[in-house]
Amino acid sequence: MPDVHGGRQDRSRIAGRVPQELVHKHDPAEVLLTDWTTHGGNLHTVRARWPRRHSFYQPHQGHFDPLLLVETVRQTLPLLSHVAYGVPFGSHLVWDDFTFEVEPQAMLIPEARADVVLEAACTDVRTRKGCLASMTMHLEVRLNGRHAGSARTRFTNHSPAVYRRLRGQRDLAETYRRALPPQPPLPPATVGHHRDENVVLAGTGRADRWQLRADLGHPVLFDHLVDHAPGMLLLEAVRQAAHVYSPVADCVVTGMSVSFEGWVELDAPAWVSVTPTYGDALRAVIEQEGGTCLAAEVAVGSVPAPTAEHPAVRDGADLQLSSRLGISPGPTEVLCPGSAEMA
């Protein structure tokens, strides 16, 4: 089945998928998760299968895109929120912070199918009136049994009424009418992509600052209607900025530590800037109308040679997250809301 970018969609990810509404996607072909198990004590196992090709999270030199791991984690958050913590549909899950790291050597695309297992441990689980208000989730990710990466995130859950109080009464049709048209993209090769439509940065005449491109017709980043720039668009903007600016040849982002500090609106310019910090690390900031919306520390490295061997399986690959993290349910209270919806 041809995809909207003119390529071929990998149909293996359609069979055995979880329902798309559980991962907040409209297109079932974009669902990566296949099933899940809840063990009790806030421990969960989620399984996924990665396509060998993807229209947006494209492989490079025989390795999976690190942002494919991030999207797999992102889909896990609403899945577990709904099936394990009773979050009703229509609620809004909002990121406070998000950290991930990948092991590039472990991201080599296998000859056989790519089965992914995420071991999730939820801590500091807080409720309000019997409904999930916020939690921290820790995840370890394995690709065909080998450690591929890890992630940690804190997010909050808001009912439609609370979300309207946070964001105001917004008409989506009006939001889309007022949205800025995307500016001409940077050359795709400079940001680690192959197609203009996948570039989320526009030039400004500076080597360390770009304008965010929000193409509301993009079938992956804007899979459904939203009233602001979604979290995955912002993470992709940071990744692409690191590719442009990185001093590392054949750059690959190996990790980020991100703080979401404000909503990014669709009807005003947003600016992405990067500065070096130490070694090959970078600091990225997304700003809009004089305020900081996102701040991130970004680790970069070089893409491993496609002939590199897989790393050895770690001792204790089936990580005992409960003992390592000291899981206990949190007190019943509400944290301050974050400022970037993950969907």
Side-chain angles (χ1 to χ4, degrees), residues 62-78:
H63 290 77
F64 284 117
D65 182 349
L67 268 290
L68 184 64
L69 182 147
V70 173
E71 171 60 15
T72 308
V73 169
R74 187 213 61 78
Q75 293 188 15
T76 298
L77 307 183

Side-chain angles (χ1 to χ4, degrees), residues 2-332:
D3 66 23
V4 295
H5 289 165
R8 296 288 300 180
Q9 204 70 297
D10 186 335
R11 297 184 64 88
S12 67
R13 59 184 164 145
I14 296 178
R17 67 182 184 273
V18 306
Q20 65 262 33
E21 61 267 19
L22 289 176
V23 300
H24 295 185
K25 296 296 287 186
H26 176 75
D27 183 358
E30 291 301 324
V31 178
L32 302 170
L33 308 186
T34 57
D35 60 87
W36 72 91
T37 304
T38 294
H39 306 293
N42 292 322
L43 292 175
H44 317 274
T45 299
V46 176
R47 285 164 286 275
R49 183 166 299 161
W50 285 349
R52 298 180 65 86
R53 298 182 301 277
H54 191 278
S55 62
F56 184 70
Y57 302 110
Q58 298 169 349
H60 184 55
Q61 293 191 7
H63 290 77
F64 284 117
D65 182 349
L67 268 290
L68 184 64
L69 182 147
V70 173
E71 171 60 15
T72 308
V73 169
R74 187 213 61 78
Q75 293 188 15
T76 298
L77 307 183
L79 170 71
L80 293 181
S81 295
H82 291 306
V83 302
Y85 295 93
V87 170
F89 292 112
S91 297
H92 297 262
L93 302 178
V94 178
W95 262 325
D96 288 336
D97 57 65
F98 180 72
T99 299
F100 79 92
E101 61 179 359
V102 300
E103 295 195 11
Q105 293 283 3
M107 297 291 282
L108 190 68
I109 299 174
E111 294 183 2
R113 68 189 192 187
D115 289 327
V116 179
V117 175
L118 302 94
E119 301 290 356
C122 300
T123 65
D124 198 18
V125 179
R126 306 189 181 197
T127 61
R128 181 188 183 192
K129 297 180 180 179
C131 185
L132 178 70
S134 62
M135 73 164 70
T136 299
M137 192 179 295
H138 311 255
L139 303 105
E140 298 285 347
V141 184
R142 301 196 306 272
L143 170 59
N144 288 352
R146 302 177 185 273
H147 179 83
S150 60
R152 175 203 172 279
T153 183
R154 181 78 183 168
F155 63 96
T156 53
N157 170 54
H158 304 291
S159 69
V162 170
Y163 186 77
R164 284 194 298 271
R165 288 200 295 270
L166 290 172
R167 296 285 292 147
Q169 189 69 41
R170 291 173 180 264
D171 180 82
L172 285 176
E174 178 65 12
T175 296
Y176 273 54
R177 188 188 69 80
R178 292 169 54 89
L180 297 181
Q183 297 299 303
L186 293 178
T190 65
V191 300
H193 276 277
H194 304 294
R195 299 168 179 158
D196 285 345
E197 58 264 36
N198 287 339
V199 178
V200 302
L201 299 178
T204 64
R206 288 177 49 176
D208 61 351
R209 183 176 169 89
W210 308 270
Q211 184 174 350
L212 180 70
R213 298 183 74 247
D215 177 3
L216 276 61
H218 195 282
V220 177
L221 294 173
F222 287 88
D223 168 82
H224 53 277
L225 297 177
V226 290
D227 64 8
H228 61 279
M232 286 301 295
L233 170 62
L234 304 183
L235 296 182
E236 178 65 26
V238 169
R239 186 264 287 274
Q240 292 191 14
H243 272 267
V244 179
Y245 190 86
S246 175
V248 177
D250 210 5
C251 166
V252 60
V253 168
T254 60
M256 292 185 196
S257 180
V258 183
S259 174
F260 296 93
E261 301 179 12
W263 307 96
V264 176
E265 308 297 349
L266 298 172
D267 60 356
W271 310 98
V272 185
S273 59
V274 169
T275 55
T277 54
Y278 53 89
D280 295 329
L282 303 170
R283 176 173 173 80
V285 175
I286 299 179
E287 300 169 291
Q288 190 173 60
E289 297 184 330
T292 298
C293 302
L294 178 150
E297 300 293 329
V298 186
V300 297
S302 296
V303 177
T307 57
E309 296 180 359
H310 284 296
V313 177
R314 284 188 171 185
D315 292 337
D318 294 318
L319 297 170
Q320 300 300 313
L321 295 180
S322 55
S323 60
R324 188 160 69 88
L325 298 172
I327 296 169
S328 60
T332 302

